[in-house]
Amino acid sequence: MDKKTHELDEYLTQLRGKGSFDSEGVFTVAGTRALGKLANFLLPGKSDWVLKIVQGACGAQAEELRIKQTHHSTQIHFHTSYPLDLDLFEQSVLATTPPRDNMGLDDLTSGLRAVGMGDRPRDWVARLTSGRNECFLSCVEGQLTSQRLLLEQSGPQDGTLVALGVAYPPNESGKLGGIIRFGEAVQNEHTALLTKTRLCPIPLYLDGR
């Protein structure tokens, strides 16, 4: 297992905590990579995938959005106002004609398609928590993998907690001391969030601020 995949697995383990597997599936998405390239092409800038996630959180009527850039990944957390089903989430990631009026789901998944299946694909993992049900969808090296867990303790009963982790491209280490950021992708994402979300209709916290 290479270092980047190991780091993503560690993040996945931290996110899901204790639980027992309910089911698991693996889906090869090599044949749908064109979807990611198309989504990437439709965005003005390569870092604008993160803005689609912001739009998705707004469409889902989240009360707030928290984004943190660590040494290895960009992590995004918000709480949707409605239950978000893993099957529907998977279908939206792979859909060529997503449904209308889906409360931000198309924005959210088109952003993930662009960053995970575009010209420079990056690994990502999504965690969805509602009640005792916790679901994971990860895109690692061209494979889309789903996992379901039954939690020992119940999570939120209203809506769904969404946590996303998007790994940086190879050789981009993120930041040092919370101030200096390395790598073009990290800098561009940070700049896009600072300059293009000033009129965000919900509170957006970047690195806790």
Side-chain angles (χ1 to χ4, degrees):
M1 182 182 297
D2 61 46
K3 182 178 180 181
K4 183 174 69 172
T5 303
H6 179 65
E7 289 166 350
L8 197 61
D9 282 346
E10 286 185 340
Y11 175 60
L12 180 61
T13 300
Q14 292 173 3
L15 278 180
R16 69 189 191 191
K18 291 185 177 181
S20 57
F21 278 105
D22 179 53
S23 64
E24 182 174 359
V26 178
F27 309 90
T28 300
V29 295
T32 61
R33 192 170 297 277
L35 291 175
K37 292 184 177 180
L38 177 61
N40 193 277
F41 175 77
L42 294 175
L43 297 179
K46 290 184 178 180
S47 62
D48 286 351
W49 67 267
V50 72
L51 301 179
K52 296 299 291 183
I53 304 298
V54 173
Q55 289 178 356
C58 294
Q61 300 177 359
E63 293 185 357
E64 65 177 26
L65 177 64
R66 294 186 176 272
I67 301 176
K68 181 177 179 62
Q69 289 182 303
T70 71
H71 288 282
H72 306 294
S73 65
T74 296
Q75 300 179 15
I76 303 168
H77 301 260
F78 60 93
H79 188 175
T80 70
S81 62
Y82 62 93
L84 182 56
D85 179 72
L86 176 63
D87 291 333
L88 181 61
F89 193 89
E90 288 176 352
Q91 291 170 13
S92 184
V93 170
L94 299 175
T96 55
T97 55
R100 296 181 179 179
D101 301 326
N102 56 6
M103 298 187 70
L105 183 58
D106 179 39
D107 288 325
L108 175 62
T109 53
S110 65
L112 291 175
R113 278 199 304 271
V115 72
M117 304 175 193
D119 294 330
R120 297 180 61 192
R122 292 160 55 181
D123 298 343
W124 56 259
V125 60
R127 180 194 69 177
L128 314 177
T129 307
S130 181
R132 290 192 61 213
N133 297 313
E134 192 161 73
C135 306
F136 293 87
L137 190 67
S138 59
C139 185
V140 178
E141 296 182 352
Q143 276 197 333
L144 197 65
T145 304
S146 67
Q147 299 173 324
R148 300 172 188 265
L149 292 168
L150 294 176
L151 299 176
E152 295 176 357
Q153 295 184 346
S154 180
Q157 300 296 324
D158 57 328
T160 301
L161 283 177
V162 178
L164 307 174
V166 180
Y168 298 136
N171 303 319
E172 295 200 17
S173 57
K175 63 183 182 181
L176 178 65
I179 300 176
I180 303 174
R181 288 173 169 80
F182 298 101
E184 179 183 2
V186 185
Q187 294 177 12
N188 289 344
E189 288 162 16
H190 190 77
T191 300
L193 288 168
L194 287 178
T195 60
K196 298 182 180 180
T197 62
R198 296 182 183 277
L199 299 179
C200 184
I202 63 175
L204 189 157
Y205 300 92
L206 178 58
D207 290 336
R209 294 177 289 181

